[in-house]
Amino acid sequence: MRVTVERAALLKALGHVHRVVERRNTIPILSNVLLRGEDGLLRLKATDLDIEVTETLPADISEPGSTTVPAYMIYDIVRKLPDGAQVSLEMSGDSGQMQIRSGRSRFMLQALPESDFPDLAAGDMPHRFTLSATDLKRLIEKTQFAISTEETRYYLNGIYLHTIDVGGATMLRAVATDGHRLARVELPAPAGSDGMPGVIVPRKAVAEIVKLVEDGSETVTIELSAAKVRLTFDGVVLTSKLIDGTFPDYQRVIPVGNDKLLTVERSDFAKAVDRVSTISSERGRAVKLALGDGRLTLTVTNPDSGSATEEIEVDYDAAPIDIGFNARYLLDITAQLDGDTALFKLADPGSPTIVQDREGASALYVLMPMRV
Amino acid sequence: MNAAPFCRDCLTFAASAQAVRCSVCGSPRLLRHKERDSLTIAHVDCDAFFAAVEKRDDPSLADKPVIIGGGKRGVVSTACYVARTYGVRSAMPMFKALEACPHAVVVKPDLEKYRVAGREVRDLMLELTPLVEPVSIDEAFLDLSGTERLHHGSAAVTLARFARRVEDKVGITISVGLSYNKFLAKIASDFEKPRGFSIIGREEAVEFLGDKPVSMIPGIGAAAQARLAKAGITRIGHLREGSLRALYEALGRDSQRLARLAVGQDDRPVRPERETKSVSAETTFDTDLSRFDDLEPILWRLCEKVSRRLKAAHLAGQSITLKLKDSEFRILTRTRSGLPPTQLAVRLFGPARQLLKAACDGTPFRLVGVGAADLCDGEEADHGDLADQSVLKDAHMESAIDRIRAKFGNDALQKGLALRKPQR
């Protein structure tokens, strides 16, 4: 293989693919990135056996061929090369080494043959639809924070993506929960998504997708089978295994009869919660919300350090109620809301509470109360 | 206060300060010490507790060597004082104990009976002071400061009366150590066993400790002893000789505490409630087991036991530890933490079972145990959360089972799993 490629393009592509490579690997080839030059294109591929990212970029191929080299090392080398440089990649004979040359720099990297490189056989992907990058970003950003890290309930370690009929219209929904809070966001189902299976996209893939979508592609094509998902951005393809498990029936935990309505100024509320929670300890992060007649009193009491109270004017005219929440969860959720106000729908101090921008908003959050 | 010697048998003061025997009953067991009436921290330890309870319940055992220990194998948990004269010690493997004393009567432990007796002793202690810190089923620290007027006598006199009361009411004997802190009280109680009553005063403490072996310090076991011996420290007095710095190099973080103990200083208060850090249960098998199918029912029963204890103490665990001991006595523990708080047997069993499954690789095990740690208030447990409503069902089912068992006994209702017998 002998390939010449522009440094900036190569760096960008390596930046996309090298991230999926685990820093520590027991199988040497998994530390490597696959490079294949043919038909005027250089193709890069990296995998951790759960996720695979490939990217192609135009290159000057003087001799087609392929090899694999340590991903982090080649990424660091290319990163340190000067701007605007041309980089040449060349397999030197049967020495099992790949040479990188640029200007007066020269590197020899230990290579491993392509034949050993695992392939995340994608198989048949019967469902296919397209989303705008903004929509995909919204589905992920509004729910990502609620993904669980608890290993025993592995089926919560991702975002549950599925279609559902809501009042006659088919919606594409993303849901995530760690048991304490739940995030649900939906948008009208794009053509081709109807009838897709409900899938759980794992946390690591979600994090990669966010980074790729931020790198400015206009639309994203999503293909699905029961076991895998593939997202195609401009020139970048991410394939991931899905979590093999059943997402809990989240609809049953979203309360419907919560009739105590509280509307707050979102940023005032978040700042007040942030202020009073300064007092709280690492373990007990509870903030008490005492509601009555147009006034909300936030209180944090920490036996070790003291207490804090703040009052804010709110829109509330139901019966007085005292309810506790984890301060961090309140902040996480208010940070996700879009409008200037936040609407809380409460029932009683022991039951889940709904938080939304406003009635009927497309994003909905459910929060379990804490004892205070 | 009366400075005359106090008779531990007839509970009266002797007529003269020089009396060798009690002027009323003639007993030599006189309690005398310069600081007798100013010391208030006591350590009370039942003498050969399990064996004493068995002898109480079966007078024919009175003069025989009695060993309490479990099953075909396992270890001596208690040896009575007769058996001890043959060299039998607790924690000794049973076969060795029987080599030393072949005619010993071996009694299987009846923990429930001991718990009742221990509770009786504990209740008698609580009649003296609320400041009772249990160390185990048969020993406790007591702080009797400020009880002189209430009990019409100094702490020493109160404790002597208490020892008699335990003998009369519970039918076992105890040994008492009295001093000005827990460390010395503990050492004192060990001094004259059985039926002992030792006093270590402020004036004599430092001199008393000087030539005692370091192994006398609670918590200094074989390993620490070896480390200390390397640094030339075999007696408690040696701990006072070198500089603190040299001591630190030999002992690390523990050095300051030991240096203070060596001069008789220990300011740990007697705390009535010891915070429970974990709740666990374990069992040693008659023969080694290696198959998951054989271990699983045992694990289930242990989880039920731990659950029962958690519920009784209104606690819930957020981490589960599986403990296994293989035939070479190597201990293996596996922990799963960060779980939703639970006190339900089924919820303890789930992760414990997974850990056991992963650990079963054909190794023969002699012991399995399960423990719940990261404890929190039982109120916070098993409410279910947004991702798991089934826990509510589990909780209802288990509380129904618990109610049936409370009424008809623990064996009234069993999971089929618990009845599975090991395949031979």
Side-chain angles (χ1 to χ4, degrees):
Chain A
M1 181 186 79
R2 196 156 70 229
V3 176
T4 309
V5 61
E6 211 262 316
R7 179 246 175 201
L10 180 60
L11 180 63
K12 191 172 173 215
L14 282 169
H16 291 150
V17 302
H18 89 281
R19 279 194 307 252
V20 305
V21 175
E22 291 288 342
R23 286 272 182 184
R24 275 180 239 287
N25 266 310
T26 44
I27 310 169
I29 192 104
L30 291 181
S31 300
N32 282 11
V33 57
L34 170 70
L35 307 167
R36 185 190 296 141
E38 60 192 359
D39 306 331
L41 291 172
L42 177 65
R43 196 169 134 85
L44 293 81
K45 179 158 114 175
T47 182
D48 67 353
L49 294 179
D50 286 326
I51 307 174
E52 176 185 279
V53 177
T54 63
E55 180 153 0
T56 43
L57 63 156
D60 181 9
I61 315 285
S62 29
E63 194 183 305
S66 64
T67 189
T68 79
V69 289
Y72 279 95
M73 202 163 282
I74 186 174
Y75 172 71
D76 284 340
I77 290 170
V78 174
R79 186 169 55 82
K80 291 172 185 176
L81 290 176
D83 252 352
Q86 291 289 310
V87 185
S88 106
L89 310 171
E90 185 180 345
M91 275 307 285
S92 50
D94 355 300
S95 65
Q97 292 190 318
M98 188 185 82
Q99 188 179 61
I100 305 175
R101 271 189 307 154
S102 178
R104 300 166 87 167
S105 315
R106 187 173 305 185
F107 303 85
M108 297 293 282
L109 290 186
Q110 291 294 346
L112 291 167
E114 184 199 6
S115 55
D116 294 347
F117 200 82
D119 188 31
L120 199 68
D124 190 28
M125 297 272 196
H127 302 274
R128 179 192 169 98
F129 56 93
T130 306
L131 272 182
S132 75
T134 12
D135 281 347
L136 177 62
K137 203 170 158 194
R138 181 177 159 76
L139 285 179
I140 291 177
E141 271 185 347
K142 302 276 173 210
T143 50
Q144 191 183 11
F145 73 94
I147 298 176
S148 167
T149 52
E150 188 193 316
E151 278 171 39
T152 29
R153 295 194 283 181
Y154 59 92
Y155 48 83
L156 300 180
N157 299 160
I159 293 179
Y160 179 48
L161 201 63
H162 61 297
T163 53
I164 188 164
D165 185 74
V166 182
T170 306
M171 306 299 273
L172 177 64
R173 252 189 201 173
V175 181
T177 181
D178 63 1
H180 306 293
R181 58 247 171 99
L182 178 145
R184 189 197 82 186
V185 60
E186 62 191 14
L187 46 89
S193 65
D194 201 2
M196 69 175 245
V199 297
I200 309 170
V201 183
R203 188 177 49 234
K204 186 175 171 187
V206 167
E208 288 308 316
I209 293 167
V210 171
K211 286 178 198 143
L212 291 173
V213 91
E214 272 167 0
D215 258 8
S217 127
E218 293 279 301
T219 59
V220 182
T221 304
I222 299 176
E223 290 165 281
L224 278 176
S225 69
K228 293 200 177 76
V229 60
R230 183 194 293 142
L231 291 93
T232 307
F233 308 77
D234 293 331
V236 188
V237 180
L238 178 143
T239 311
S240 172
K241 285 186 186 164
L242 296 164
I243 292 178
D244 184 12
T246 309
F247 201 80
D249 181 6
Y250 68 91
Q251 305 254 55
R252 283 176 38 200
V253 299
I254 298 178
V256 283
N258 287 8
D259 55 355
K260 297 186 172 67
L261 304 185
L262 159 72
T263 307
V264 298
E265 290 296 324
R266 187 172 70 94
S267 83
D268 289 354
F269 175 75
K271 283 179 192 153
V273 170
D274 192 21
R275 271 192 291 271
V276 293
S277 67
T278 316
I279 290 288
S280 64
S281 65
E282 268 314 304
R283 278 184 77 87
R285 304 270 303 165
V287 48
K288 184 171 96 177
L289 279 62
L291 276 162
D293 206 21
R295 184 172 299 155
L296 165 63
T297 312
L298 299 163
T299 314
V300 172
T301 312
N302 177 355
D304 296 329
S305 57
S307 65
T309 308
E310 181 156 343
E311 250 182 44
I312 48 179
E313 299 287 312
V314 294
D315 187 359
Y316 183 79
D317 48 22
I321 181 175
D322 284 4
I323 188 167
F325 294 107
N326 182 314
R328 215 190 69 230
Y329 296 168
L330 278 178
L331 292 174
D332 281 349
I333 287 179
T334 43
Q336 291 309 324
L337 296 177
D338 297 316
D340 293 336
T341 57
L343 169 68
F344 287 73
K345 295 198 235 173
L346 308 127
D348 59 71
S351 306
T353 293
I354 291 181
V355 190
Q356 282 182 288
D357 286 334
R358 56 179 193 288
E359 190 63 53
S362 67
L364 175 144
Y365 303 94
V366 186
L367 195 50
M368 278 298 268
M370 288 175 88
R371 285 195 319 146
V372 280
Chain B
M1 290 284 153
N2 195 332
F6 186 74
C7 173
R8 286 160 56 201
D9 283 316
C10 67
L11 306 176
T12 54
F13 286 98
S16 85
Q18 280 75 42
V20 180
R21 283 178 176 271
C22 171
S23 47
V24 179
C25 70
S27 160
R29 297 173 72 228
L30 295 180
L31 202 52
R32 70 168 92 221
H33 191 279
K34 219 160 84 185
E35 297 177 45
R36 184 190 72 195
D37 294 332
S38 66
L39 300 169
T40 55
I41 308 291
H43 180 256
V44 172
D45 195 2
C46 301
D47 301 323
F49 181 56
F50 295 177
V53 174
E54 294 298 343
K55 290 196 177 196
R56 174 195 73 182
D57 294 350
D58 181 358
S60 75
L61 295 175
D63 310 324
K64 297 190 179 130
V66 172
I67 297 176
I68 312 295
K72 286 182 196 162
R73 63 182 192 196
V75 294
V76 175
S77 83
T78 310
C80 78
Y81 284 89
V82 184
R84 288 187 200 187
T85 60
Y86 293 90
V88 180
R89 294 284 175 269
S90 48
M92 188 183 253
M94 190 60 85
F95 71 92
K96 274 201 174 161
L98 290 174
E99 259 168 34
C101 183
H103 59 294
V105 181
V106 178
V107 181
K108 265 202 162 186
D110 179 349
L111 290 174
E112 196 45 47
K113 194 157 80 178
Y114 309 147
R115 227 190 310 279
V116 172
R119 189 71 239 180
E120 285 170 18
V121 176
R122 182 87 34 90
D123 288 344
L124 291 176
M125 288 176 182
L126 288 167
E127 286 178 11
L128 306 182
T129 170
L131 294 182
V132 175
E133 176 180 325
V135 181
S136 69
I137 183 171
D138 66 340
E139 55 176 312
F141 288 105
L142 283 79
D143 183 349
L144 290 161
S145 319
T147 63
E148 291 84 355
R149 292 176 64 147
L150 178 67
H151 299 310
H152 306 290
S154 64
V157 168
T158 304
L159 287 163
R161 291 184 187 132
F162 167 74
R164 264 296 295 273
R165 247 172 100 73
V166 173
E167 288 180 18
D168 295 347
K169 293 222 160 186
V170 189
I172 61 165
T173 64
I174 60 168
S175 291
V176 179
L178 180 65
S179 189
Y180 58 94
N181 63 36
K182 282 161 72 172
F183 165 60
L184 291 164
K186 166 101 183 161
I187 287 181
S189 73
D190 231 18
F191 223 60
E192 269 183 31
K193 268 178 158 299
R195 286 189 93 204
F197 196 129
S198 303
I199 298 177
I200 301 177
R202 286 187 172 81
E203 277 179 29
E204 65 195 334
V206 173
E207 201 193 320
F208 169 85
L209 288 170
D211 61 346
K212 300 292 180 294
V214 285
S215 57
M216 200 178 249
I217 300 175
I220 299 293
Q225 254 183 80
R227 217 150 14 95
L228 286 167
K230 233 180 213 170
I233 298 168
T234 52
R235 314 223 160 258
I236 294 178
H238 296 159
L239 287 165
R240 303 197 281 258
E241 284 158 12
S243 66
L244 253 184
R245 191 197 167 89
L247 197 58
Y248 181 84
E249 274 160 19
L251 297 170
R253 278 217 311 233
D254 220 17
S255 56
Q256 286 213 14
R257 187 179 70 88
L258 293 184
R260 288 168 55 83
L261 292 182
V263 290
Q265 285 180 14
D266 173 15
D267 43 23
R268 290 172 299 160
V270 174
R271 285 184 208 279
E273 278 295 317
R274 277 209 310 166
E275 197 189 344
T276 314
K277 294 245 169 73
S278 70
V279 176
S280 56
E282 60 182 49
T283 184
T284 304
F285 322 131
D286 288 343
T287 50
D288 292 349
L289 298 175
S290 60
R291 295 178 56 235
F292 174 74
D293 285 353
D294 295 342
L295 290 161
E296 192 188 13
I298 300 168
L299 185 74
W300 165 250
R301 281 182 169 267
L302 291 173
C303 287
E304 284 200 309
K305 207 168 185 177
V306 171
S307 160
R308 211 152 47 226
R309 289 179 187 165
L310 286 171
K311 286 168 189 162
H314 303 288
L315 291 170
Q318 300 176 82
S319 78
I320 313 282
T321 299
L322 172 79
K323 175 179 169 187
L324 291 162
K325 197 188 276 180
D326 69 14
S327 47
E328 315 280 299
F329 289 81
R330 278 181 301 236
I331 293 174
L332 171 104
T333 58
R334 292 284 179 269
T335 300
R336 174 135 315 154
S337 50
L339 301 167
T342 189
Q343 48 177 216
L344 300 178
V346 274
R347 295 270 152 173
L348 299 169
F349 183 58
R353 184 179 180 278
Q354 280 181 15
L355 294 171
L356 178 65
K357 191 145 209 179
C360 279
D361 54 1
T363 314
F365 295 111
R366 56 180 284 118
L367 171 148
V368 64
V370 67
D374 282 343
L375 299 178
C376 65
D377 194 330
E379 284 281 306
E380 287 169 34
D382 306 314
H383 293 307
D385 63 22
L386 296 171
D388 186 3
Q389 297 283 292
S390 64
V391 66
L392 295 172
K393 239 196 235 164
D394 289 345
H396 284 139
M397 187 157 72
E398 227 172 278
S399 88
I401 294 173
D402 289 344
R403 282 197 301 275
I404 292 171
R405 286 181 172 174
K407 207 164 174 181
F408 301 107
N410 258 333
D411 293 328
L413 199 59
Q414 287 292 343
K415 255 196 183 210
L417 170 61
L419 305 172
R420 195 199 292 157
K421 292 271 177 290
Q423 290 182 5
R424 291 279 146 72

